[in-house]
Amino acid sequence: MTQPSITVLMPVYNGEKFLRPAIESILDQTFKDFELLIIDDGSTDDSREISRAFDDPRIRRVENGANLGLIRTLNKGLELARGEYIARMDGDDISLPERLDRQIAFMEQHPAIGICGTWYEKLENDRVSTVELPTTHGAIRFFMLFDNPFQHSTMLIRRAFLQAHALHFSLAHVHAEDYELWSRCAELTATANLPQALVRYRAHPDNVSHRHQTAQGGTADQVRRRQLHNLGIGASEAELRLHNRLAKFQLPAGDDRPEDVRRWLEKLLDLGCARCGIPASLAHPHLVRYWYGALGNFAHEGLRTWRLFRQSPIGRAAAPNWQARLLLRCLLRKDIPRLAVAPPT
């Protein structure tokens, strides 16, 4: 059989609710030279029957027989893939028609890039919003200090790159296996996100980020620690705890003070920009959301908090509407509800 250009890797476990439109979105791609590798991980619903109903020679079906778990199923897919590229796809998301076409064209034009994602549309409670992620390698490395800079269903990866470095998803990083793998990839190859929303991500209660939020956060803490170390950004244990709480918007906690947050974020601004080779202007929009989120939890201290926010170059770079929101909160001495912080734009 002729080698396809792309293997679209779709693991499925009890995904009957959204599986049909997910498969259809791949089969309807404008780029046609692919195989869709559907690996059923011991589903007990109608997922297997739904996938079997599609009569398309580009579909390869594999059934685990028993539930191996997502990470083992993904790694099995990496081994079974035959394409020059591997595209990730979940059984509850939608790839927009030109996704593969645009990504493979970009990768062909940029051979130094080993992994590539895209912006995406987030569908939640019948509302659609576009999520913009950093697009350049340096900005991606900086973003990675806090969070995963890729949406997994947008990823396109050179299979030869994975094989050359024996890369796979880590069983030690359950629920954050994608963040952990992409962080290792970013140390070995250039990375990118296309500034176009090419996937529609469906946010619902069965998402891993909803069902396993606490465990995912703990695993992601390990990735953040390693990222700081690999970029040569020294951090004490107290700073590491502060950093991980900031990344999860869990301030205040213990003896956390706004001044501590400011010192840490400005340290990241200086050292992170230098290590990642990006100007401060690229880092500001990302750091602002954490500075705003932290200071919003101290709004009860009044205008003292507002003045501290404005004293930092990070705060002064915030969008005017977000500065106004924080000022109003400080005047009212009304803290931000926990986990209700949206990124400033």
Side-chain angles (χ1 to χ4, degrees), residues 19 31 36 49 87-88 133 153 179 191 219 232 261 268 281 303 318 336:
L19 182 57
F31 185 85
L36 173 54
E49 287 70 24
R88 272 286 284 118
L133 295 166
S153 278
Y179 181 21
T191 63
T219 306
V261 177
L268 288 181
S281 59
L303 290 177
I336 296 176

Side-chain angles (χ1 to χ4, degrees), residues 8-10 15-29 36 54 87-100 103 118-124 128-129 151-155 196-204 207:
V8 180
L9 173 56
M10 180 187 289
E16 64 178 2
K17 187 174 182 180
F18 302 116
L19 182 57
R20 186 179 303 279
I23 293 174
E24 289 172 345
S25 77
I26 295 300
L27 299 181
D28 291 341
Q29 290 290 299
L36 173 54
F54 287 89
R88 272 286 284 118
M89 179 66 186
D90 279 342
D92 52 0
D93 295 334
I94 299 291
S95 283
L96 300 184
E98 295 186 352
R99 176 205 166 179
L100 297 181
Q103 280 191 284
T118 76
W119 291 356
Y120 64 97
E121 295 178 355
K122 183 177 181 180
L123 175 61
E124 187 171 21
V128 178
S129 58
Q151 208 287 327
H152 47 269
S153 278
T154 72
M155 296 305 292
Q196 301 162 327
L198 298 176
V199 167
R200 182 165 292 169
Y201 166 74
R202 202 186 299 269
H204 57 84
N207 290 143

